[in-house]
Amino acid sequence: MANADSLPVCINGTDTSTSTLRRNATNPSPPPDGDVKKRWKFRMRPKDDDEPQDWWFCSTAIPLLAATTGPLANVMSIAALVTSWRNNYNSANPGVDEDSVGFRDPNWCLGLNGASLACGFAGNFFLLLNFTRRVRYIVALPATIILWYFATGILMGITISMNEFVPPHRPEQTYSQGFWHAVIAAVLYLVSSMILMLNMLGYFLGHYPQHFELTDDQRNLILQTMMFFIWLAGGAAIFAKVEGWSFVDSLYFCDVTVLTVGFGDFVPINDTGRGLVFPYSVGGIIILGLMVSSIRGFAQELGSTHVVKSHVEKQRSQTIQRTVTTDFEFQQLQGHHLSTLKHGRVPDISPPFNLQKRTIAFDSEKAEEASPHHAHTEHSHMGPVKVVTKRLRQAGSRKPKILMMREEKDRFDAMRKIQRETNNFKRYSALAMSVIAFGLLWCVGAIGFWKAEAKTQGLSYFQSLYFCYVSLLTIGYGDLSPKSNAGKPFFIVWSLVAVPTMTILISDMGDTVIASFKRGTFTLADWTVLPKAGLWRELLEKYPWLLLWLQKKSKEAEEKKRVAQGLRVGPEDEDINATTPPTMEEVAELDSLDDHACARKLAIAIRRTANDLKADPPCRYSYEEWAEHTRLIRFSRMSKEELDEEEEEQGLLDWDWIGEDSPMLAEETEAEWVLDRLCESLDRYMRKQGPGKTSNGEEETKEG
């Protein structure tokens, strides 16, 4: 019988433990004022601090984002320095930006522009020293922020002063591409400084130590980004010299070339330029491909490490909260464990949940739908539950969707469901984020070009949408292209963000939409023009009960045939390469075997699992296979005295399927995890069968 202290107490027809849990879930108590103050208290951590870290976006994503926007701001600032900020329109084509010619800017504008570029380069240099840990975080990061703020302030000051004191005389003059490059550079410097301040705030609040936690792949991404912008700016300088273009037009040409858009508005006009296109385009495309691949890998890493794991933990916690049992049911399950094994019931292969102090009442109708074993446990378990459910209905309580897991297979199936949902969440959440990013870049970019090209080309918003779509897909018909002095700088920045995003979207579609379409075409071919061997076997495997019934009938027919031929009928030698999973009856028989027989099965299981390592995609074991592996892992469990004598650990033996130590939450594949545990079991068995011991671990007596 259950202890009185652990049973739920009902007062006025209501389960007090249930009502308490419901009150705590619906009306959480606010945190004390001291906790709120402590949360925002400065606590700077040292370099070698190994405490847990949070604010992962600020600690990892923001430094990489700043390492991307910083070099881009430098390139835009270079274009603003080497290009005059005001142009005179050609009298033959008034109002056409492409035919406008620049004239010299005031000396103060050139000097301050150069000072801004120097501050931007210095800020990038300190950021690089910070990444390589050549300079302390607390010194390098403030230097980067301050220098980039100086660069922003100088560019904003000279653009405002230019517009206030020496603006272009309309309509004979206009602002050039250099002016708009300066505006974009100021915005990029400002954004980079502000996001780095968020990173520093996280450090001051003690969310992570004073250095950037970057992996080798992330450091390679920073290097690839710097190489790409050096390649872009260096190519612009070379083509400007060879083709006689301005630096800003050459920068636009290089951007269109490397992104493979190819509008055709700028083309090489001599053989030297055409010859340079060969190595330049190939090198630029390779660097861009590496950078896009690294960005996608970084996004997937962040998603798997933080977003997906957070989703798994949330689903697991919700499953645990919906888990219901009572002490009385728990004692019944333990008392009838041996008898249920004989009747083919699902045996326990991991310690049951200890929910004696967390009893939750549930809706019996929903519980019946959720539990696959409800029919077997109705008379022994549902009686007291219906009483509590009826009282909860009378009290008008809100009934959550309940998941009944009184047996081990229920917990296993629940974790398998979490795995399936997590896998879908991982693939489709990445696809959804890419689609949202694509939609924003498409629509917002169309607004930018609609406004920038309104006077030059008179584009409508629909035409701007068409132009952005053709550019995103790198089709580049050439019927529309940016022609205004504001449109070309905007296109450079927009395209460098939008086209890689489109590439990542296509990659994400490969794991979801395209994969589904591919499976559909294969299935259609399998059933029509290209039928493959084993098709009916795959169909039957989707319905295990039908497959087992057919196997049973086939086995009975084979035995009758052997009897008619006068041959022996009985168990055959075990096949190492057998693919049929064991039945629960076969798994239950392992408990009656001695250690020697279990060791033989252990050796066979190790060989099978080693073969499973080659499977692609990685194999996932059924519950029956896991039950067999679990027994082979645990049969060699060592006693405390044996452990003290060996002075070694015996490895992981106990877990729960939806607990934090669940094998399904491991980083490695199921085959790798099982193989490690089976090898540990073999090692324990060999240690127990040391010199002078029998197969059962008993000391041998030597006759004199």
Side-chain angles (χ1 to χ4, degrees):
M1 294 182 64
N3 297 331
D5 296 339
S6 60
L7 289 173
V9 181
C10 293
I11 301 176
N12 297 328
T14 304
D15 185 354
T16 56
S17 61
T18 303
S19 60
T20 302
L21 284 173
R22 293 182 184 274
R23 284 198 305 269
N24 293 338
T26 56
N27 299 315
S29 59
D33 294 340
D35 292 345
V36 176
K37 293 179 180 178
K38 184 177 180 181
R39 189 179 304 168
W40 290 98
K41 183 179 179 181
F42 283 180
R43 185 176 66 89
M44 292 175 283
R45 292 160 58 172
K47 287 183 180 180
D48 54 352
D49 191 347
D50 57 354
E51 294 182 13
Q53 302 181 21
D54 51 5
W55 281 30
W56 58 268
F57 185 82
C58 290
S59 63
T60 305
I62 281 181
L64 290 176
L65 186 61
T68 302
T69 57
L72 178 58
N74 291 156
V75 173
M76 306 303 284
S77 187
I78 292 173
L81 178 62
V82 301
T83 308
S84 59
W85 286 18
R86 296 166 299 172
N87 284 4
N88 287 317
Y89 281 124
N90 189 340
S91 58
N93 295 312
V96 179
D97 289 351
E98 288 183 311
D99 293 337
S100 60
V101 180
F103 58 93
R104 182 176 175 81
D105 294 322
N107 291 332
W108 58 266
C109 180
L110 294 174
L112 291 175
N113 205 344
S116 173
L117 179 60
C119 290
F121 271 124
N124 250 327
F125 180 69
F126 274 103
L127 185 64
L128 182 61
L129 294 177
N130 200 349
F131 284 134
T132 57
R133 300 187 184 182
R134 301 294 182 183
V135 179
R136 292 178 57 196
Y137 173 93
I138 198 62
V139 174
L141 191 63
T144 299
I145 295 173
I146 293 172
L147 287 168
W148 279 353
Y149 268 128
F150 276 146
T152 302
I154 293 172
L155 286 175
M156 291 179 63
I158 56 179
T159 52
I160 295 173
S161 299
M162 176 73 74
N163 190 63
E164 184 69 23
F165 299 107
V166 284
H169 299 289
R170 308 286 184 174
E172 294 83 7
Q173 297 177 343
T174 186
Y175 281 119
S176 70
Q177 294 185 49
F179 176 83
W180 295 109
H181 276 91
V183 172
I184 295 174
V187 172
L188 291 174
Y189 282 136
L190 180 62
V191 171
S192 302
S193 302
M194 293 176 67
I195 61 177
L196 285 180
M197 287 186 67
L198 291 177
N199 178 271
M200 179 165 280
L201 176 63
Y203 161 66
F204 283 147
L205 296 178
H207 292 284
Y208 36 80
Q210 54 171 300
H211 56 76
F212 293 131
E213 287 292 340
L214 301 180
T215 63
D216 292 338
D217 292 337
Q218 294 166 1
R219 296 180 191 277
N220 287 337
L221 173 59
I222 296 173
L223 179 61
Q224 292 162 4
T225 303
M226 292 183 176
M227 287 178 58
F228 176 77
F229 287 116
I230 291 173
W231 189 266
L232 193 68
I238 293 174
F239 280 103
K241 183 68 175 178
V242 171
E243 299 292 339
W245 297 328
S246 65
F247 180 81
V248 289
D249 286 338
S250 296
L251 186 65
Y252 167 77
F253 166 78
C254 292
D255 176 71
V256 171
T257 300
V258 171
L259 296 179
T260 68
V261 178
F263 291 124
D265 49 352
F266 282 84
V267 294
I269 58 177
N270 55 53
D271 290 341
T272 304
R274 295 187 183 102
L276 288 174
V277 167
F278 296 153
Y280 182 78
S281 58
V282 171
I285 292 171
I286 291 174
I287 298 174
L288 179 65
L290 292 173
M291 188 174 68
V292 171
S293 177
S294 298
I295 291 174
R296 184 172 186 268
F298 168 66
Q300 288 181 332
E301 181 182 354
L302 279 184
S304 300
T305 305
H306 301 284
V307 180
V308 176
K309 285 188 177 180
S310 176
H311 177 77
V312 172
E313 184 62 25
K314 180 180 178 181
Q315 294 287 341
R316 195 178 62 83
S317 300
Q318 291 177 352
T319 303
I320 293 175
Q321 291 173 3
R322 296 197 302 267
T323 303
V324 293
T325 187
T326 63
D327 294 342
F328 177 74
E329 295 168 340
F330 175 70
Q331 296 292 342
Q332 276 192 324
L333 186 62
Q334 284 188 324
H336 291 84
H337 178 62
L338 296 177
S339 61
T340 54
L341 283 178
K342 297 180 181 179
H343 293 86
R345 290 281 301 281
V346 181
D348 235 1
I349 65 170
S350 72
F353 266 160
N354 183 11
L355 294 177
Q356 298 179 5
K357 298 181 181 179
R358 297 196 332 169
T359 304
I360 305 176
F362 56 89
D363 187 347
S364 60
E365 297 176 357
K366 294 182 179 179
E368 181 176 354
E369 297 175 358
S371 176
H373 304 285
H374 173 72
H376 299 284
T377 59
E378 180 177 1
H379 297 292
S380 60
H381 295 296
M382 292 304 298
V385 172
K386 289 182 178 179
V387 177
V388 179
T389 304
K390 182 178 180 181
R391 290 172 178 170
L392 280 177
R393 286 174 177 166
Q394 293 174 351
S397 301
R398 180 183 177 184
K399 299 176 287 295
K401 185 178 181 180
I402 301 303
L403 179 63
M404 297 225 7
M405 293 183 295
R406 293 186 182 85
E407 297 183 8
E408 187 63 26
K409 194 172 188 301
D410 297 320
R411 293 196 287 276
F412 179 86
D413 293 339
M415 196 63 200
R416 272 285 186 249
K417 182 180 178 182
I418 293 175
Q419 276 188 316
R420 291 193 297 269
E421 293 177 350
T422 300
N423 188 39
N424 291 332
F425 172 81
K426 180 180 179 179
R427 291 186 291 127
Y428 286 99
S429 62
L431 177 63
M433 292 299 296
S434 298
V435 169
I436 292 173
F438 170 81
L440 289 175
L441 289 169
W442 183 23
C443 298
V444 175
I447 294 175
F449 289 111
W450 177 37
K451 296 299 182 181
E453 301 292 332
K455 294 182 179 179
T456 304
Q457 302 185 70
L459 295 181
S460 64
Y461 183 67
F462 176 76
Q463 290 174 325
S464 298
L465 281 174
Y466 164 78
F467 165 72
C468 290
Y469 189 79
V470 170
S471 301
L472 277 169
L473 296 180
T474 67
I475 297 174
Y477 290 124
D479 52 343
L480 292 177
S481 61
K483 299 183 181 302
S484 66
N485 289 336
K488 290 179 181 177
F490 179 74
F491 178 82
I492 293 174
V493 176
W494 176 82
S495 62
L496 289 175
V497 177
V499 173
T501 301
M502 183 64 194
T503 306
I504 295 173
L505 171 61
I506 295 175
S507 300
D508 292 333
M509 289 178 64
D511 297 334
T512 52
V513 180
I514 298 176
S516 300
F517 180 78
K518 186 177 180 180
R519 288 194 299 269
T521 55
F522 284 165
T523 302
L524 180 63
D526 291 341
W527 288 95
T528 54
V529 296
L530 297 173
K532 68 175 183 178
L535 179 63
W536 293 104
R537 173 75 182 192
E538 293 182 2
L539 178 63
L540 290 174
E541 286 178 350
K542 296 181 180 180
Y543 303 96
W545 62 270
L546 180 59
L547 177 61
L548 292 175
W549 182 80
L550 291 175
Q551 288 175 343
K552 181 179 179 182
K553 292 298 182 181
S554 176
K555 185 177 180 181
E556 291 176 354
E558 183 67 22
E559 289 180 350
K560 290 180 180 179
K561 183 178 179 180
R562 291 178 65 86
V563 170
Q565 296 175 352
L567 300 177
R568 181 175 63 89
V569 177
E572 301 291 339
D573 293 337
E574 295 180 80
D575 183 10
I576 293 175
N577 298 318
T579 57
T580 304
T583 62
M584 291 311 304
E585 290 78 7
E586 295 173 346
V587 175
E589 291 176 358
L590 291 176
D591 293 336
S592 61
L593 300 179
D594 59 10
D595 287 356
H596 182 74
C598 286
R600 183 175 180 275
K601 289 183 173 291
L602 175 62
I604 296 174
I606 289 176
R607 293 188 61 182
R608 287 178 180 171
T609 309
N611 290 334
D612 293 340
L613 294 176
K614 307 173 186 177
D616 186 25
C619 66
R620 287 188 173 182
Y621 296 116
S622 65
Y623 174 77
E624 290 76 15
E625 291 173 315
W626 268 109
E628 181 183 29
H629 291 150
T630 306
R631 274 157 175 72
L632 294 177
I633 290 170
R634 292 178 180 166
F635 89 93
S636 60
R637 185 193 299 267
M638 303 177 71
S639 64
K640 186 177 183 304
E641 292 76 12
E642 292 173 326
L643 286 175
D644 293 340
E645 180 181 352
E646 294 286 340
E647 296 183 353
E648 293 186 22
E649 297 292 334
Q650 60 179 346
L652 181 62
L653 290 173
D654 297 322
W655 61 84
D656 194 273
W657 294 117
I658 54 177
E660 294 182 356
D661 55 356
S662 172
M664 299 185 192
L665 297 178
E667 296 291 339
E668 61 265 29
T669 63
E670 292 188 7
E672 292 173 340
W673 193 94
V674 169
L675 185 59
D676 288 341
R677 303 290 85 75
L678 291 176
C679 291
E680 290 174 357
S681 179
L682 179 61
D683 178 65
R684 288 192 299 271
Y685 176 77
M686 297 301 296
R687 281 188 281 157
K688 291 173 68 175
Q689 307 303 319
K693 294 185 179 180
T694 65
S695 62
N696 292 325
E698 298 175 355
E699 296 289 342
E700 293 182 351
T701 58
K702 296 183 180 180
E703 296 181 2

